[in-house]
Amino acid sequence: MMYQSASDHRLDRYSQLASRASSSNMSQFDTDTATSKQSHHPDKTDTAMEDAMAKQVQIKIHDGPGPAGTKGRDHEMKIMCFDLGYFSRTGQFLILVAGVFAFFLVYGYFQELIFRLEGFRPYGWYLTLIQFLCYTLFGFTEMQFKEDKARRIPLRTYFLIAFLTVATMGLSNSSVGYLNYPTQVIFKCCKLIPVLIGGILIQGKKYGYLDFTACFSMSIGLILFTLADSSVQPSFDPYGVLLISLALVADAVIGNVQEKAMRHYSSSNSEMVLYSYSIGFVYIFAGLALSGQLVEAFMFCLKSPVKTYGYALVFSFMGYMGVNIVLTLVKTFGALPAVTVTTCRKALTIILSFVFFTKPFTLQYVWSGLIVVLGIYLNIYSKNRATWDPVLYSLMGKVLHRLRKPKGVFMGSAENIV
């Protein structure tokens, strides 16, 4: 089980608090059991603190190395059958980031490849139906290997999450048939904008001026990128912009709803995937059946089953693995860091799209995309100012020192080159 970020601060400071004998600092974990014992029984205090935190956040804590020099578990974190509990918090974050890039880059490649099949453009919702079916089967299989198979999140919450998931993925898949793929991706890069709004409205979060500056930068870059696309793409369709915009809003809302639900009920990733996508499958199936597109799409895909169902299977598996990792990021580090990581991945997807698939290109793509990247870095900087500021000030000091030198002949060593 992943721990809740409401206790992240407590966990990060645990090693410091355990070494102090101050009852005022340790009373926040278990005021009933720890405070009365800590001044005379430090070992019992540590045990009480561990028990209290385990009840609150449902993780396992090992304070320092295990017996005989063995490495202790930092947190219990499992993705499928892989246990990341022996890695540090930083190590877990880096592994999750690598997984997001690996699986979703392949996911993006097959998504664009499928829509390049002749005649597939109108069947984006059928592709989403196949995707939801695969996710349901994968999630059900994964749940069979878990000891705790009980559903923790209420069904009424899953009905909402499923609806938002259908809107996000269905509208996003359908937009690929009407937009240049990099344009669709650059829109998804700007999910930070509605995420901030959703965080404020849904969870009452507060953000700094740098976050809002980052959103403004992303908005400007997005507008310019779209204008560039409309000027060079003969197949540009404003309907695609509407589809991806609605998907963007739903995606922002679902990130906050998922984060809130998973933290409150301490649910697993596999539970979230199984119920949200199985209910979503019913939604899509009913919609396609009522519209009369279900049989038509099925017969079309039967003409080239390898290139349709085969690609869709690979596409779905990569997406499922990516969803599991993103859910872990959301639950462990929060919605905003998860959005930041996936946004950086989408930037690389845009580059690879131009490399692997022939399409018109203009330099306006580059500098408008860089404005979006600027917004991404502003957002990252706003979350890491405490660690980044000393480094930036040091670099600025070195630069100013060089500029003030007479006759400015550079004789610096390699360590001065950034």
Side-chain angles (χ1 to χ4, degrees):
M1 296 291 296
M2 271 66 68
Y3 53 89
Q4 305 174 22
S5 65
S7 300
D8 285 351
H9 186 60
R10 298 175 184 173
L11 298 175
D12 294 337
R13 297 177 57 201
Y14 172 68
S15 60
Q16 298 176 6
L17 294 173
S19 64
R20 300 175 184 175
S22 173
S23 61
S24 60
N25 287 338
M26 285 189 282
S27 61
Q28 59 179 312
F29 294 106
D30 195 346
T31 57
D32 294 331
T33 58
T35 305
S36 61
K37 300 178 182 180
Q38 63 185 12
S39 58
H40 301 289
H41 304 286
D43 293 336
K44 294 182 180 180
T45 299
D46 291 345
T47 303
M49 291 169 62
E50 291 176 0
D51 292 342
M53 287 189 291
K55 292 177 182 178
Q56 291 178 359
V57 297
Q58 299 183 359
I59 63 170
K60 294 181 180 179
I61 296 179
H62 193 296
D63 187 17
T70 59
K71 187 177 180 180
R73 295 172 61 87
D74 189 18
H75 325 294
E76 183 175 316
M77 177 187 290
K78 288 185 178 181
I79 299 177
M80 303 294 285
C81 58
F82 300 100
D83 189 356
L84 305 182
Y86 292 95
F87 294 91
S88 67
R89 181 172 172 81
T90 302
Q92 290 172 350
F93 181 76
L94 293 176
I95 292 173
L96 294 176
V97 170
V100 168
F101 274 79
F103 289 111
F104 273 118
L105 286 176
V106 179
Y107 173 90
Y109 173 80
F110 274 92
Q111 185 180 34
E112 185 169 7
L113 185 64
I114 290 173
F115 277 94
R116 285 185 168 258
L117 298 176
E118 186 177 356
F120 195 84
R121 174 176 169 174
Y123 304 123
W125 280 104
Y126 186 72
L127 173 64
T128 309
L129 179 71
I130 299 173
Q131 188 177 7
F132 273 57
L133 176 61
C134 292
Y135 282 18
T136 301
L137 295 176
F138 295 152
F140 178 79
T141 303
E142 185 180 357
M143 283 289 288
Q144 304 313 303
F145 294 94
K146 290 186 176 294
E147 296 180 1
D148 184 8
K149 299 181 178 63
R151 174 178 54 81
R152 298 188 177 184
I153 299 178
L155 280 177
R156 64 178 181 273
T157 303
Y158 275 126
F159 290 147
L160 173 60
I161 293 176
F163 175 79
L164 294 171
T165 305
V166 168
T168 298
M169 300 182 67
L171 294 171
S172 179
N173 285 340
S174 298
S175 69
V176 180
Y178 301 92
L179 288 177
N180 185 22
Y181 189 73
T183 303
Q184 188 247 25
V185 174
I186 204 71
F187 264 87
K188 294 170 73 174
C189 284
C190 297
K191 185 172 65 175
L192 175 65
I193 301 170
V195 161
L196 288 179
I197 299 174
I200 294 172
L201 298 178
I202 297 175
Q203 301 196 62
K205 292 185 176 181
K206 295 182 179 180
Y207 300 100
Y209 71 93
L210 281 175
D211 293 316
F212 290 103
T213 304
C215 288
F216 178 76
S217 175
M218 290 181 181
S219 300
I220 297 298
L222 179 61
I223 293 171
L224 295 175
F225 197 98
T226 306
L227 291 175
D229 192 47
S230 63
S231 65
V232 300
Q233 289 290 338
S235 59
F236 179 82
D237 192 333
Y239 181 63
V241 175
L242 175 62
L243 291 176
I244 193 60
S245 297
L246 294 174
L248 196 66
V249 174
D251 202 6
V253 175
I254 194 176
N256 286 282
V257 174
Q258 282 179 339
E259 179 183 359
K260 190 174 182 178
M262 293 179 75
R263 287 177 177 175
H264 182 73
Y265 296 102
S266 299
S267 67
S268 65
N269 289 352
S270 53
E271 178 196 330
M272 174 65 69
V273 170
L274 174 61
Y275 284 95
S276 59
Y277 285 95
S278 60
I279 296 173
F281 173 82
V282 176
Y283 288 165
I284 301 174
F285 186 89
L288 288 176
L290 292 175
S291 65
Q293 292 185 349
L294 182 62
V295 176
E296 178 184 347
F298 176 76
M299 297 306 296
F300 174 85
C301 291
L302 279 182
K303 296 177 182 178
S304 302
V306 175
K307 290 185 177 181
T308 53
Y309 292 111
Y311 288 174
L313 180 61
V314 177
F315 165 75
S316 299
F317 176 75
M318 293 298 169
Y320 178 80
M321 293 300 297
V323 164
N324 268 278
I325 296 176
V326 169
L327 284 174
T328 303
L329 272 174
V330 170
K331 187 174 181 180
T332 307
F333 298 97
L336 201 58
V339 169
T340 302
V341 171
T342 54
T343 297
C344 293
R345 185 274 305 174
K346 293 182 183 85
L348 182 57
T349 299
I350 292 174
I351 298 174
L352 295 180
S353 177
F354 281 105
V355 172
F356 289 112
F357 299 97
T358 303
K359 53 177 65 69
F361 179 80
T362 175
L363 285 178
Q364 189 172 338
Y365 281 144
V366 177
W367 57 265
S368 58
L370 289 176
I371 296 176
V372 174
V373 172
L374 173 62
I376 295 172
Y377 274 95
L378 284 175
N379 173 248
I380 297 174
Y381 169 69
S382 70
K383 300 297 175 289
N384 298 274
R385 294 185 66 176
T387 54
W388 286 26
D389 279 349
V391 177
L392 293 176
Y393 290 151
S394 176
L395 291 175
M396 289 175 62
K398 290 180 180 180
V399 172
L400 292 175
H401 179 70
R402 291 290 180 186
L403 293 176
R404 290 172 181 171
K405 278 190 174 183
K407 298 182 180 179
V409 178
F410 180 73
M411 299 295 291
S413 59
E415 64 183 12
N416 293 320
I417 301 176
V418 179

